[in-house]
Amino acid sequence: MRIKPRTLLISLAAAVTLYALLGFLLLPALGVYLINRQFEERATVPAHLEAIRFNPFTLELTLRNLHMGEPDAPQVAFDRLYANLQVDSLWSGALHLRDVELEQARVQVLFAEDGSLNLTRLLVLPEPEEKPKQTEDSGPFPLRIDRLALLGNSLQFQDLRPAEPVEFGYDAVDIELTRLSTLPEDNAQMQISARGPYGALITWEGEMRLFPLKSSGRLQIDQIHLSTFWPYVRDHLPLNLGSGDISLDTRYELDLAETTELRLSDTYLQLSQLALTSADQPSLQLESLEISDSTLDLARREARLGRVTSQGLQLQASRLADGQIDWLKLLERSDGAQQPDAAETPQAAPEEDSEPAPPWRLLVDQAQLQGYRLQLTDHQPSTPVTIEVGPLNLSLNDFDSQSEGVFELSLDTLLNQEARLAIQGTAGINPVRAALQVETGDIDLTLAQAYLAPLVNLELRSGRLNSQLQVKLDQLQPLQLDVGGQASIRQLHVVDGPAKRDLLKWSSMDLNELHYRGNRLDIGRVALQQPYVRFIINRDMSTNFSDLVRAQPEREAPAAEGEPFGIRIGGISIADGSANFADFSLTPNFATGIEQLNGSIGTLDNQRAQAARVDLQGKVDRYAPVTIRGELTPFDPLNSLDIATSFKNVELTTLTPYSGKFAGYRIRKGRLNLDLHYRINQGQLQADNRVLLEDLQLGERVDSPDAVDLPVRLALALLKDTRGNIDIELPVAGDLNNPEFSVMPIIWQTLRNLVLRATQAPFKFIAGLAGGGDADLSQLGFSAGSSELDANATQVLATLAQALSERPQLALEVEGVGAAELDGPQLAAARLERELRQLAASEMRRPPEDPSTLELDERDRRKLIRTLHEQLQLAEPEEWQALSRDERTEARSQALIAHWSDNPVALRRLAQQRAAAIKDWLVDEGRLEPERIHLLDVDETGKADQGQIATRLQLGIR
């Protein structure tokens, strides 16, 4: 049947009209209804779609104002979603959309504490029906979108799972993709930009293929605050973030077709103003870190850092008392949970051909670290040690973690703000090796005290290390290290720990031509400036070196391997050295010193039996010259030695402790000249010694169980020649392994000299010379409180003066004596009379020039005595109240005398006056030279003898 054109036209118009009504009105209304109905049935939050617009002719679909969530807090919402379907979708085999636009979308991503996601709870979805298993992968749904745009969107993120919630939002998220397709032959072009919190900006441009996933392009991240994501880090690393920003700019290539392949190029990374702290002290602050011109290849496991620059690092790190490093300890799990034991963890059976992944390769073209400051504290010693490092500057070039070549490095820093450390050279890690120039300046050696304290009883009070060294490391196993150069230690000062007395010190020690390699150390020359050592013998005969090393737990000594360690010193020079020796086992203690020690010691080598030349000069107690010359083998002195030592003009008073112990007398004065020549050959000792004692005088006797049982004073007098000297030749011989020394020559010489001299006592001898018979000329008596010479005293002095005139080589020593028992009251009584007249003169309007001329009557004396008694505030006993006036005056007078009787100043002055009176008489009346008479220090503890106080006289040698 033929259809009329008009009918066809009307039908077509009706169909188009119906199609338009369905498309423009019915389908959108039905879509809105069905969607909102589903929201009512399945949405767990308020949800509503406002409108749908559809153009059935252009196939454009628009959804407006979707809102899911509370009115003021939507979880998913958008203002407009637009899609334009293309007709060729019917025959092209893929859903083709020309444009897809999403405007003003707002999404809240919320993770609850239990890990649940809010988006999964917005709708209650029906249980999925079981689908038959597909035998073949049907592939992705074919879809092609010419343009996908997300405009003005925002994202709010909140995660309550960390201990500190994570919250941030991105506004103005714009995404534009062109030619997005799931078809393998299509690549999509994309542009993504988003602004985050605190001005952070993310920009992403590139192309992407979905199946298989491939992408390349450029990613830029600008000023992302690390605090935004730090709670995730803090749950695993207990560090607090104070501040920190990171920026990234890189080109990338991602390919997930077969394996994960990621390549970054032209990468720039910046980390700035990083500040980390923790409750356990460690802290880190970093001003900036920039990495530029860098690449990363994940498949090849290779990273190349083109240029690394960093400034302003401040780091605190510590070694804890248990030996752990605090920063490494922080990397442990914060909850303290242990990882499951490997034996208890299910393990997949290893594949037969599986191989461990190759190590990452790191290359650094150039790195510069500047202004770093480190505070390193070691809590393992009993006294913590802190070292401040910085400002530290480090430069590194051409580093390759897998290369067999070397890289360049340079380091320069200060230690504790004054010491300097500089390292420059090349190093390699495959194998480990280095060739470095190391320079140190003013390194404070007292930092080692905390580590030395458990080992030795020493206190290192000062010391500065300077060095210029060339360090060459060839390998680690076995160690092949070569160190050469020079070093010096300045201002070393070591004291022994318990007594805190100087033990060892020097102004400087220079080690020149230093060379260490393997098991040998060579030093071309050691130069010591102002060295000092102190050697002490304690009361128990131990020395200050006996207990320097602390007792350590016994450990099995390692077996010796190879040759012993060799030491060779080309020579030692000593300038202005000194030493002190003290012996506290003697009473009184002995001490002496060597000063101005200068000279040299020749080559010392513990692997060659070569004698070292010794040439030293010094002075004992500042004035007595001493020389030491000869040869010795320092590492085997009992094998060969030939040393000659000479001491000149040594004051014998320094040897008093030894004379007291072995001779039983102190030495009052004298000088010693000593020439010693010791020769040792294969343990056999031969010594030719000459001792010359000049002007020797002994002092008081000392009780000593070790003293020889001989009349020492008499023996010394007999040994003196006509010039008053003692000259002894003392050869000594013996076996040092079983010493037997011969002293017979000195005994025979002593006996020979004894018969040449008279054995009478000195004063009795000279008294006989003067016709005094047995008169005792060794003392003079004085009346109590007086320094006047009586007739008996002048007679003794006359005899003594005549005897001394006949012995011009003798000198007289006068020791003034005071006896408090007799002299004290007499001196006090004389003082009372002076004080009375001084007080009377002070009360007169016209006192005489000499108050001692005043005459006092009984009334005046009574009044003045009462006044003095009151001025001195002396107590008056109650029984004085019963005394008469005269008796009370006498009691006050005796109280004043008793008060002034114990006056050591007046007693000492009286003893000095007595000694001076004797000297004055001998000089003025006896006509003796004043220099022959010596006034010794007075004795204030004298005793009375028959009512008189005796002043002692002694003979000496001029």
Side-chain angles (χ1 to χ4, degrees), residues 60-343:
E60 294 177 292
L61 176 66
T62 302
L63 281 68
R64 291 191 177 275
N65 298 328
L66 173 68
H67 189 102
M68 299 183 68
E70 298 299 329
D72 296 333
Q75 298 187 41
V76 176
F78 59 77
D79 290 356
R80 172 177 174 267
L81 174 61
Y82 167 80
N84 189 354
L85 178 64
Q86 298 300 298
V87 178
D88 62 356
S89 300
L90 299 176
W91 60 82
S92 64
L95 180 62
H96 181 196
L97 300 174
R98 187 180 69 180
D99 281 306
V100 175
E101 294 181 354
L102 178 64
E103 295 182 1
Q104 301 298 321
R106 299 172 296 281
V107 178
Q108 284 189 345
V109 180
L110 309 176
F111 284 96
E113 293 183 2
D114 58 2
S116 60
L117 178 63
N118 68 319
L119 298 180
T120 63
R121 302 194 306 269
L122 292 180
L123 298 173
V124 179
L125 300 179
E127 295 292 333
E129 297 180 359
E130 292 187 2
K131 295 182 179 180
K133 295 183 179 180
Q134 297 182 356
T135 58
E136 296 182 0
D137 186 5
S138 60
F141 179 79
L143 173 66
R144 185 169 66 248
I145 302 175
D146 294 342
R147 176 177 173 271
L148 173 63
L150 285 72
L151 306 174
N153 303 290
S154 64
L155 170 68
Q156 299 296 321
F157 180 89
Q158 183 183 57
D159 192 347
L160 302 180
R161 291 174 297 176
E164 180 182 347
V166 176
E167 296 184 29
F168 62 86
Y170 276 89
D171 300 325
V173 178
D174 296 326
I175 301 175
E176 183 173 350
L177 292 87
T178 58
R179 300 199 307 273
L180 178 63
S181 173
T182 61
L183 302 179
E185 65 274 9
D186 290 339
N187 290 329
Q189 300 292 326
M190 58 183 175
Q191 288 185 345
I192 300 175
S193 66
R195 291 194 177 274
Y198 313 109
L201 176 63
I202 298 177
T203 304
W204 187 359
E205 295 181 355
E207 61 180 30
M208 179 175 61
R209 179 184 299 176
L210 295 179
F211 295 97
L213 181 59
K214 293 184 178 180
S215 180
S216 63
R218 180 179 181 183
L219 174 64
Q220 292 178 291
I221 301 175
D222 188 23
Q223 296 295 319
I224 296 291
H225 279 25
L226 293 178
S227 58
T228 304
F229 310 99
W230 192 256
Y232 293 119
V233 179
R234 198 178 188 284
D235 280 355
H236 301 281
L237 189 64
L239 287 173
N240 299 319
L241 177 70
S243 62
D245 298 333
I246 189 169
S247 298
L248 175 68
D249 185 353
T250 184
R251 293 189 177 277
Y252 72 93
E253 295 180 19
L254 177 65
D255 189 350
L256 302 181
E258 297 180 359
T259 60
T260 301
E261 296 185 9
L262 174 63
R263 290 180 293 275
L264 304 181
S265 61
D266 294 334
T267 301
Y268 172 82
L269 176 68
Q270 182 186 47
L271 179 63
S272 59
Q273 302 304 324
L274 178 65
L276 299 175
T277 60
S278 77
D280 298 327
Q281 294 300 325
S283 65
L284 181 148
Q285 294 182 357
L286 178 63
E287 183 178 332
S288 67
L289 169 64
E290 293 186 8
I291 302 175
S292 59
D293 191 22
S294 302
T295 62
L296 173 72
D297 194 322
L298 186 62
R300 297 176 59 184
R301 301 175 69 84
E302 179 179 296
R304 184 184 67 82
L305 308 181
R307 180 178 176 83
V308 179
T309 58
S310 180
Q311 294 181 349
L313 173 71
Q314 296 188 21
L315 173 69
Q316 292 181 346
S318 301
R319 182 168 72 159
L320 306 178
D322 58 4
Q324 297 189 65
I325 306 301
D326 53 3
W327 280 99
L328 298 180
K329 191 174 182 179
L330 287 176
L331 297 179
E332 299 177 359
R333 296 182 59 182
S334 60
D335 58 1
Q338 300 293 326
Q339 295 291 344
D341 189 88

Side-chain angles (χ1 to χ4, degrees), residues 454-568:
L455 304 176
V456 292
N457 286 312
L458 294 176
E459 181 181 346
L460 183 58
R461 289 191 170 178
S462 68
R464 298 283 177 170
L465 172 66
N466 300 273
S467 66
Q468 294 86 35
L469 303 174
Q470 296 81 43
V471 180
K472 185 177 181 182
L473 175 65
D474 292 329
Q475 65 181 41
L476 290 179
Q477 297 294 336
L479 179 64
Q480 292 187 9
L481 179 64
D482 192 319
V483 180
Q486 58 186 9
S488 66
I489 299 177
R490 309 287 181 184
Q491 303 302 325
L492 182 76
H493 187 189
V494 179
V495 301
D496 52 357
K500 304 297 183 185
R501 295 173 297 197
D502 290 345
L503 181 70
L504 176 68
K505 58 183 178 180
W506 60 64
S507 174
S508 67
M509 180 178 71
D510 295 327
L511 307 176
N512 299 310
E513 301 176 21
L514 180 69
H515 187 202
Y516 165 81
R517 183 175 180 84
N519 63 343
R520 184 171 181 82
L521 173 63
D522 289 300
I523 302 175
R525 191 79 180 169
V526 176
L528 284 166
Q529 288 282 343
Q530 296 182 325
Y532 169 85
V533 64
R534 180 183 181 92
F535 186 83
I536 299 174
I537 299 176
N538 300 310
R539 293 184 181 277
D540 59 0
M541 299 303 295
S542 65
T543 71
N544 58 333
F545 286 84
S546 301
D547 300 323
L548 291 185
V549 179
R550 296 182 186 271
Q552 301 295 322
E554 293 186 2
R555 299 178 181 177
E556 184 177 352
E561 298 182 0
E563 298 180 358
F565 190 83
I567 300 177
R568 182 185 183 278

Side-chain angles (χ1 to χ4, degrees), residues 429-463:
I429 59 176
N430 296 306
V432 175
R433 62 198 185 281
L436 304 173
Q437 300 286 334
V438 180
E439 181 177 351
T440 63
D442 285 335
I443 300 293
D444 188 358
L445 296 181
T446 59
L447 293 172
Q449 177 60 39
Y451 303 98
L452 293 175
L455 304 176
V456 292
N457 286 312
L458 294 176
E459 181 181 346
L460 183 58
R461 289 191 170 178
S462 68

